[in-house]
Coordinates of all heavy atoms in Angstrom, one line a residue:
V533 N -31.5 21.9 -75.6 CA -31.1 20.6 -75.0 C -29.6 20.5 -75.1 O -28.9 20.1 -74.2 CB -31.8 19.4 -75.7 CG1 -31.2 18.1 -75.3 CG2 -33.3 19.5 -75.4
T534 N -29.1 20.8 -76.3 CA -27.6 20.7 -76.5 C -26.8 21.6 -75.6 O -25.8 21.2 -75.0 CB -27.3 21.1 -78.0 OG1 -28.0 20.2 -78.9 CG2 -25.8 20.9 -78.3
Q535 N -27.3 22.8 -75.4 CA -26.6 23.8 -74.5 C -26.6 23.3 -73.1 O -25.6 23.4 -72.4 CB -27.3 25.1 -74.6 CG -26.6 26.2 -73.8 CD -27.3 27.6 -74.0 OE1 -28.3 27.7 -74.7 NE2 -26.8 28.6 -73.3
V536 N -27.8 22.8 -72.6 CA -27.9 22.3 -71.2 C -27.0 21.1 -71.0 O -26.3 21.0 -70.0 CB -29.3 22.1 -70.8 CG1 -29.4 21.4 -69.4 CG2 -30.1 23.3 -70.8
V537 N -27.1 20.1 -71.9 CA -26.3 18.9 -71.7 C -24.8 19.2 -71.8 O -24.0 18.7 -71.0 CB -26.6 17.9 -72.8 CG1 -25.7 16.7 -72.8 CG2 -28.1 17.4 -72.6
A538 N -24.4 20.1 -72.6 CA -23.0 20.5 -72.8 C -22.4 21.2 -71.5 O -21.3 21.0 -71.1 CB -22.7 21.4 -74.0
S539 N -23.3 21.9 -70.9 CA -22.8 22.7 -69.7 C -22.9 21.8 -68.4 O -22.4 22.2 -67.4 CB -23.7 24.0 -69.5 OG -25.0 23.6 -69.3
S540 N -23.6 20.7 -68.4 CA -23.7 19.8 -67.3 C -22.5 18.9 -67.1 O -22.1 18.2 -68.0 CB -25.0 19.0 -67.4 OG -25.1 18.1 -66.3
E541 N -21.9 19.0 -65.9 CA -20.7 18.2 -65.6 C -21.0 17.0 -64.8 O -20.1 16.1 -64.7 CB -19.7 19.1 -64.9 CG -19.2 20.2 -65.8 CD -18.1 21.0 -65.1 OE1 -17.9 20.8 -63.9 OE2 -17.4 21.8 -65.7
G542 N -22.2 16.9 -64.2 CA -22.4 15.8 -63.3 C -23.6 14.9 -63.7 O -23.6 13.7 -63.3
Q543 N -24.5 15.3 -64.6 CA -25.7 14.6 -64.9 C -25.4 13.8 -66.2 O -24.9 14.4 -67.2 CB -26.9 15.5 -65.0 CG -28.2 14.8 -65.2 CD -29.4 15.8 -65.2 OE1 -29.2 16.9 -64.8 NE2 -30.5 15.3 -65.6
D544 N -25.8 12.6 -66.2 CA -25.7 11.7 -67.4 C -27.0 11.4 -68.1 O -27.0 11.2 -69.3 CB -25.0 10.4 -67.1 CG -23.5 10.6 -66.6 OD1 -22.8 11.4 -67.2 OD2 -23.2 10.0 -65.6
A545 N -28.1 11.3 -67.3 CA -29.4 11.0 -67.9 C -30.3 12.2 -67.6 O -30.4 12.6 -66.5 CB -29.9 9.7 -67.2
F546 N -30.9 12.6 -68.7 CA -31.8 13.8 -68.7 C -33.2 13.4 -69.0 O -33.5 12.9 -70.1 CB -31.3 14.8 -69.7 CG -29.9 15.3 -69.4 CD1 -28.8 14.6 -69.9 CD2 -29.7 16.5 -68.7 CE1 -27.5 15.1 -69.6 CE2 -28.5 17.0 -68.4 CZ -27.4 16.3 -68.9
P547 N -34.1 13.5 -68.0 CA -35.5 13.0 -68.2 C -36.3 14.0 -69.1 O -36.0 15.2 -69.1 CB -36.1 13.0 -66.8 CG -35.2 14.0 -66.0 CD -33.9 13.9 -66.6
V548 N -37.2 13.4 -69.9 CA -38.1 14.2 -70.7 C -39.5 13.9 -70.3 O -39.9 12.7 -70.1 CB -37.9 13.8 -72.2 CG1 -38.9 14.6 -73.1 CG2 -36.5 14.0 -72.7
V549 N -40.3 15.0 -70.0 CA -41.6 14.8 -69.4 C -42.6 15.4 -70.4 O -42.3 16.3 -71.2 CB -41.7 15.4 -68.0 CG1 -40.8 14.7 -67.1 CG2 -41.5 16.9 -68.1
D550 N -43.9 15.0 -70.2 CA -45.0 15.5 -71.0 C -45.5 16.8 -70.3 O -45.0 17.2 -69.3 CB -46.0 14.5 -71.3 CG -46.7 14.0 -70.0 OD1 -46.5 14.6 -68.9 OD2 -47.4 12.9 -70.1
K551 N -46.6 17.3 -70.8 CA -47.2 18.5 -70.3 C -47.7 18.3 -68.9 O -47.8 19.3 -68.1 CB -48.3 19.0 -71.2 CG -49.5 18.0 -71.3 CD -50.6 18.5 -72.2 CE -51.7 17.5 -72.3 NZ -52.8 18.0 -73.2
D552 N -48.0 17.1 -68.4 CA -48.4 16.8 -67.1 C -47.3 16.5 -66.1 O -47.5 16.2 -65.0 CB -49.4 15.7 -67.1 CG -50.7 16.0 -67.9 OD1 -51.1 17.1 -67.8 OD2 -51.2 15.1 -68.6
G553 N -46.0 16.6 -66.7 CA -44.9 16.3 -65.8 C -44.6 14.8 -65.7 O -43.7 14.4 -64.8
L554 N -45.2 13.9 -66.5 CA -44.9 12.5 -66.4 C -43.8 12.1 -67.3 O -43.6 12.6 -68.4 CB -46.2 11.7 -66.8 CG -47.4 12.0 -65.9 CD1 -48.6 11.2 -66.4 CD2 -47.2 11.6 -64.4
L555 N -43.0 11.2 -66.8 CA -41.8 10.8 -67.6 C -42.2 10.0 -68.8 O -43.0 9.1 -68.8 CB -40.9 9.8 -66.7 CG -39.7 9.2 -67.3 CD1 -38.7 10.4 -67.6 CD2 -39.0 8.2 -66.4
V556 N -41.6 10.5 -70.0 CA -41.9 9.8 -71.3 C -40.6 9.4 -72.0 O -40.7 8.6 -72.9 CB -42.7 10.8 -72.2 CG1 -44.1 11.0 -71.6 CG2 -42.0 12.1 -72.4
G557 N -39.5 9.9 -71.6 CA -38.2 9.5 -72.3 C -37.0 10.0 -71.5 O -37.1 10.6 -70.5

Side-chain angles (χ1 to χ4, degrees):
V533 172
T534 304
Q535 182 179 2
V536 172
V537 172
S539 62
S540 176
E541 296 182 347
Q543 188 174 346
D544 295 315
F546 298 83
V548 179
V549 299
D550 61 12
K551 61 181 180 179
D552 298 320
L554 299 177
L555 179 66
V556 293

